Amino acid sequence: MSSARLPGGAAQPLSLRQSEARDRADRIEVTSYDVSLDLDRGDETFGSVSTIDLVSLGGPTFLEIQPASLLSVTVNDFPVDLSRHQGGRVPIDTEPGSNRVVVDAVMTYRHDGEGLHRSVDPADGRHYVYAMPFLDAAPSIFGCFDQPDLKAEWRFRTRVPRDWVVIGNSPATELEPGVWEIGPTLPLPTYLVALVAGPYHVVRTEHDGIPLGLSARASIAAHLDHDAEEIFTVTAQCFDEFHRLFEIRYPFGDYHQAFVPEFNAGAMESAGCVTFRDPMIFQSRVVRTFHTLRASTIAHEMAHMWFGDIVTPRWWDDLWLNESFAEYMGARVTADATEFEDVWVSEAYSRRSWGLSADQRPSTHPVAGNGAEDAATALQNFDGISYAKGAGILKQLNSHLGDEVFFGGVRDHFQRHRFANATMVDLLEAWERAGAEDLAGFRDGWLLSAGPDTLELDRASGLIRLTPPPGERAGRHHALAVAAAPADRTGTWRVQRLVVDSDTVPVTVPTGAVVLDPEIETWAVTLPDASTLAALPDVLSTSTDPLLRASVWLSVRNALQHARLDPALALDLLAAALPHEDTDDGVGQTLAWALGAVVPVSQDPVAARARVHETAAACVAASQAGSTLQLAAFQGQVSACQEPALLRNWLAAGDRLPEGVVVDLDLRWRILVQLAVRGAIDRDELAAQLADEVTAVSQVEHAKALAALPDAAAKSWAWARFTGEVEVPNYELEAIGLGVWQVGQEHLTDPYVERYFEDLPATAEVRTGYLLAQSVGDFYPRWSINAGTVERARSLLGREDLDPVLRREVVDFTWDLERRLAVVEAFGSSGAIKP
């Protein structure tokens, strides 16, 4: 099985440039695709025949195809010289007017979550297939003109094994045993084509005239059946709310949600058939955070049916028209229409932190007009800026304009560009027609500038200070609240509202804690002053507002990242405040942050981890037995545990296992991985644990545990998978990368620091796209916190031949490492908060 090899062993295909896409769109209009796929010819390759009708001005152009073997290409029945096929492109000559192009090829199944991905379920040996044609991946499935503004009608005919079902953008019809037909569809670009095929378990219902479907692997059918009611309820509620807000009904017929194996992203918004990563079908008990995340992801992908599928960006520099809107609308609709009204708290702990980190890295870019000169660059810009920052900015704009103008402009935008393409300018003009003032300032200050402003209180001067990002003087206005803690534990918070629109703005400063932006209303890095930090244990243990507490923890994270907070004091704050926290997000995500961000930069990581373990245990004791709050705390306790005897007791459900905790699949492997890190389990026992319950989850966690073992053989085993010498599926590769680097195992991993920078460039020869970028971070030596590692990274970045995707990721992860190093250097021998 190959996790990374490029289709057919070919060289990296050329990535389409924006200038090329514009030129091609000026020359041709694609009207329809008729694609035949033969998926019943073995496990390695499949047949693909594309018949493409187009209208052309005449003259030369090119199509994309990444085959194992290209059999023929014809234009109007005339054969094309196949020797001209290079870089995944075939030059063709067209006649003025109507043309028909036929591409016949043998294609390679992929195992990296892109193209036509084929996987084997370890639970029962069954094979599953799904299409992920996003960006440059569609040509590894069929011949096409692969750009977002060449939308066309699609038909599919697919031959599959007789026990398979087929699902796509339109309802699929089985013409004869093993032969299925899909379409015609409404106009779609190549990247929104869906195909899901295999022995999937399918559940169906209907809401408001829309047929609804769910599917998942047969081995997790019982879990899908268990979760179906919640998923269908959320789906129905979201449809009702989107129809109310947009006043345009969902147009794509059936709405199917396919939970598929080894999917890279959270989900993909293919019209009529959304694909999700199948861990979102819960095989173990999970905390409320994951139910909220699933609900908001469902709403996010549903929002794409309008933002992206009805109206598609012309090019990827406007990907915010897809992702920022889906992110904002997904959270808003989840909060307003479903039981998961706490989604804004979850977003604060997870998505906002992700976005702020991305926006401060060297690779920061504008939300719109983001410099996506080619599709490969665009893929790297599907980051926290395009999602979380863009969503935060849209939330600010909605607050300023109000729903009437905001959604009036959105409806105008949908109606004017229905089933076509649009740009940022088109949407801004729609808002202005709906009654918005001139939005040039909003465009320039928020959409076309990069980096976050920093807001902090100058207590001595009675000022809020605004510091713009380096090189930016965009003149952003921040409308926010400033909350002052009561003088006593039972008093009322005092809230001032103000607009920060200059370098300094006067503010009334009380003597106690002051929380900037407690309602998380503006996009900025907020930093707490020293007096507020000192008062935070009391603030966090007495506040009844979970969003305010989330805002406080955001500012604490910012303070650590900016080397303003001693890790020892961060642990003090954790111990004082967290046992009083009553949300799963506040407990679970803060414990995870402490383990991943505070412990590694502490003077004594072993002692720091022990403190996190003690805090997690206190949270377990303070929570109700059997509650998801208890589960969130216990998961953190397991991850922090350094006592093999205690881990063994929990694994055996012994007398030290807290009442209400059940060691299910997830907890069992969480414990086993920690035993592996501690060297308290051997390979034979791990193999026996895998054999005892063979699932996809077990297989991935088993790989992580093997990589985490504290011996040289484990690290060598992991490294052979990083370099591609041994190939594994994408989820396993990610798990191995996360397992191989462990704090406290530096005597084993130090030799691999230099090897990482030596071996990384060659990974671009065996991986592409998402997995190439993902593996950079998964295997980055993140706990080698010293100047020598930074210097090695800079030396690699000095190579002119370094793949651009690798360069982007190394730059960012090195910046993260430099942040950790700054904390270590600042507090290596001190215990005070830096001013």
Side-chain angles (χ1 to χ4, degrees):
M1 177 180 291
S2 169
S3 68
R5 296 293 175 193
L6 303 183
Q12 287 276 13
L14 296 172
S15 187
L16 185 69
R17 298 183 65 82
Q18 182 176 13
S19 57
E20 295 173 319
R22 287 176 176 171
D23 179 69
R24 188 162 62 177
D26 287 341
R27 301 184 65 82
I28 68 170
E29 176 185 352
V30 183
T31 55
S32 70
Y33 285 88
D34 195 326
V35 179
S36 294
L37 299 178
D38 183 356
L39 309 185
D40 194 23
R41 56 165 62 180
D43 301 346
E44 298 299 325
T45 62
F46 61 95
S48 174
V49 178
S50 302
T51 301
I52 312 167
D53 288 327
L54 60 92
V55 177
S56 174
L57 296 177
T61 186
F62 63 91
L63 61 87
E64 288 97 340
I65 181 78
Q66 300 165 21
S69 175
L70 184 57
L71 304 180
S72 67
V73 178
T74 63
V75 179
N76 303 324
D77 295 327
F78 289 97
V80 172
D81 181 1
L82 299 186
S83 68
R84 301 172 68 194
H85 175 222
Q86 291 183 339
R89 299 179 178 186
V90 178
I92 61 173
D93 292 301
T94 61
E95 299 292 332
S98 297
N99 291 259
R100 172 164 288 184
V101 180
V102 180
V103 184
D104 187 356
V106 176
M107 313 298 284
T108 303
Y109 288 111
R110 296 177 66 169
H111 306 284
D112 60 356
E114 299 184 51
L116 198 62
H117 179 95
R118 187 174 183 125
S119 65
V120 180
D121 188 345
D124 56 19
R126 295 182 180 184
H127 289 239
Y128 293 89
V129 167
Y130 63 83
M132 180 54 169
F134 192 56
L135 287 175
D136 285 339
S140 66
I141 307 173
F142 41 69
C144 59
F145 298 92
D146 189 27
Q147 60 190 74
D149 58 345
L150 290 179
K151 301 174 79 169
E153 179 184 277
W154 291 79
R155 290 178 176 83
F156 275 87
R157 180 171 292 213
T158 306
R159 180 177 296 278
V160 298
R162 292 190 176 198
D163 63 335
W164 285 19
V165 296
V166 174
I167 303 159
N169 300 103
S170 296
T173 302
E174 191 171 19
L175 303 178
E176 59 183 82
V179 178
W180 296 72
E181 187 172 74
I182 300 170
T185 70
L186 292 168
L188 296 172
T190 50
Y191 83 90
L192 289 176
V193 168
L195 181 71
V196 176
Y200 284 95
H201 174 65
V202 180
V203 182
R204 300 188 188 277
T205 189
E206 178 271 342
H207 174 74
D208 191 24
I210 303 170
L212 305 179
L214 305 173
S215 59
R217 289 175 290 127
S219 67
I220 59 172
H223 302 290
L224 177 64
D225 290 343
H226 178 272
D227 289 1
E229 182 179 358
E230 180 181 306
I231 295 171
F232 278 140
T233 298
V234 168
T235 302
Q237 291 168 333
C238 291
F239 262 130
D240 291 345
E241 183 70 353
F242 280 120
H243 286 157
R244 184 185 73 83
L245 293 172
F246 294 157
E247 297 181 359
I248 297 172
R249 279 189 62 82
Y250 167 75
F252 295 107
D254 290 15
Y255 190 72
H256 193 89
Q257 296 173 101
F259 295 84
V260 298
E262 300 173 354
F263 198 73
N264 286 324
M268 179 62 199
E269 66 270 17
S270 304
C273 181
V274 177
T275 42
F276 296 79
R277 54 169 47 219
D278 69 7
M280 285 192 178
I281 300 301
F282 304 137
Q283 299 177 56
S284 298
R285 188 160 175 260
V286 298
V287 297
R288 181 176 173 83
T289 301
F290 288 99
H291 288 274
T292 303
L293 172 63
R294 182 170 68 185
S296 64
T297 304
I298 288 169
H300 176 115
E301 301 308 321
M302 195 178 294
H304 274 306
M305 299 300 113
W306 289 265
F307 288 107
D309 295 10
I310 291 178
V311 181
T312 306
R314 187 169 296 167
W315 182 249
W316 302 114
D317 57 348
D318 267 329
L319 66 89
W320 76 285
L321 292 172
N322 282 5
E323 299 305 343
S324 299
F325 272 95
E327 187 85 352
Y328 168 57
M329 294 305 306
R332 172 177 169 147
V333 168
T334 300
D336 293 349
T338 78
E339 68 173 283
F340 302 102
E341 69 280 351
D342 53 349
V343 64
W344 292 117
V345 175
S346 291
E347 294 276 309
Y349 281 105
S350 57
R351 309 293 277 186
R352 189 173 181 90
S353 293
W354 173 47
L356 284 171
S357 291
D359 206 20
Q360 295 174 81
R361 285 169 156 180
S363 64
T364 185
H365 55 81
V367 172
N370 56 33
E373 296 181 357
D374 58 37
T377 303
L379 182 61
Q380 300 309 300
N381 287 339
F382 276 74
D383 56 16
I385 297 168
S386 299
Y387 285 75
K389 180 181 181 179
I393 289 169
L394 287 172
K395 187 180 181 185
Q396 293 170 212
L397 182 65
N398 174 261
S399 179
H400 175 69
L401 296 180
D403 273 2
E404 182 177 354
V405 172
F406 185 88
F407 287 109
V410 165
R411 294 172 197 133
D412 179 8
H413 183 69
F414 291 153
Q415 290 159 359
R416 286 176 181 265
H417 306 286
R418 187 177 177 88
F419 302 122
N421 299 82
T423 66
M424 173 186 68
V425 172
D426 295 323
L427 180 60
L428 295 179
E429 289 177 349
W431 273 324
E432 290 174 354
R433 284 192 297 269
E437 73 275 19
D438 182 358
L439 292 175
F442 166 75
R443 177 199 63 205
D444 295 344
W446 289 107
L447 295 177
L448 297 180
S449 60
D453 293 338
T454 299
L455 300 176
E456 51 191 323
L457 173 65
D458 182 339
R459 189 177 289 266
S461 302
L463 299 170
I464 301 292
R465 295 194 181 276
L466 183 156
T467 306
E472 295 281 355
R473 299 293 297 183
R476 303 176 182 130
H477 294 186
H478 297 271
L480 70 153
V482 176
D488 61 81
R489 297 171 69 90
T490 60
T492 302
W493 284 75
R494 288 177 291 162
V495 177
Q496 305 173 62
R497 293 210 61 84
L498 54 99
V499 174
V500 179
D501 56 2
S502 60
D503 291 348
T504 58
V505 174
V507 64
T508 302
V509 183
T511 57
V514 175
V515 178
L516 303 183
D517 199 19
E519 299 170 25
I520 312 184
E521 299 172 273
T522 194
W523 186 261
V525 172
T526 56
L527 293 172
D529 68 292
S531 296
T532 296
L533 275 170
L536 284 186
D538 196 54
V539 168
L540 288 167
S541 62
T542 59
S543 169
T544 59
D545 183 347
L547 192 60
L548 181 146
R549 297 196 303 272
S551 175
V552 168
W553 280 114
L554 270 171
S555 68
V556 170
R557 293 186 186 197
N558 293 337
L560 182 71
Q561 187 177 58
H562 286 252
R564 299 280 193 93
L565 175 64
D566 190 319
L569 293 182
L571 294 173
D572 289 344
L573 178 58
L574 196 81
L578 218 57
H580 302 278
E581 177 60 53
D582 62 3
T583 68
D584 293 5
D585 290 290
V587 169
Q589 299 208 46
T590 306
L591 286 172
W593 167 76
L595 288 170
V598 181
V599 168
V601 297
S602 297
Q603 292 184 44
D604 183 347
V606 173
R609 184 176 290 272
R611 289 210 66 194
V612 176
H613 183 269
E614 292 168 4
T615 300
C619 293
V620 171
S623 58
Q624 182 180 353
S627 66
T628 57
L629 184 64
Q630 181 197 45
L631 178 60
F634 186 70
Q635 287 173 341
Q637 189 179 4
V638 172
S639 296
C641 187
Q642 302 173 106
E643 302 174 46
L646 182 56
L647 290 165
R648 285 286 183 183
N649 185 277
W650 290 337
L651 186 65
D655 57 357
R656 299 178 70 181
L657 185 71
E659 180 185 355
V661 172
V662 176
V663 179
D664 55 16
L665 179 67
D666 175 77
L667 278 177
R668 184 159 68 89
W669 278 103
R670 190 180 290 259
I671 293 168
L672 289 168
V673 168
Q674 286 307 308
L675 284 169
V677 171
R678 306 298 151 206
I681 193 170
D682 61 25
R683 290 167 177 79
D684 290 342
E685 186 178 355
L686 286 172
Q689 291 282 352
L690 175 62
D692 187 55
E693 190 173 6
V694 180
T695 69
V697 172
S698 302
Q699 187 160 293
V700 169
E701 293 302 308
H702 175 257
K704 182 189 293 184
L706 289 179
L709 288 167
D711 60 54
K715 307 313 172 187
S716 177
W717 177 89
W719 213 252
R721 282 138 185 87
F722 169 60
T723 61
E725 177 185 344
V726 177
E727 298 166 331
V728 291
N730 50 339
Y731 279 17
E732 289 184 45
L733 184 69
E734 178 181 1
I736 291 165
L738 297 177
V740 69
W741 300 102
Q742 298 291 333
V743 175
Q745 294 184 1
E746 289 80 8
H747 62 291
L748 294 167
T749 56
D750 278 351
Y752 288 93
V753 175
E754 186 169 355
R755 287 188 61 180
Y756 172 85
F757 295 108
E758 291 176 351
D759 294 345
L760 182 66
T763 64
E765 299 173 10
V766 296
R767 299 187 186 105
T768 186
Y770 181 99
L771 192 60
L772 176 63
Q774 180 73 21
S775 62
V776 177
D778 291 340
F779 283 86
Y780 192 94
R782 51 194 173 276
W783 308 138
S784 182
I785 308 172
N786 58 69
T789 305
V790 172
E791 185 57 37
R792 287 186 178 95
R794 289 174 178 165
S795 177
L796 174 63
L797 293 170
R799 287 182 49 170
E800 294 183 359
D801 62 341
L802 186 64
D803 180 272
V805 172
L806 300 181
R807 181 179 301 279
R808 160 77 176 262
E809 298 299 315
V810 171
V811 164
D812 282 350
F813 282 98
T814 301
W815 183 85
D816 293 347
L817 182 63
E818 289 173 320
R819 296 297 86 219
R820 296 186 196 105
L821 183 58
V823 175
V824 170
E825 291 176 342
F827 299 105
S829 59
S830 72
I833 298 166
K834 288 181 71 68

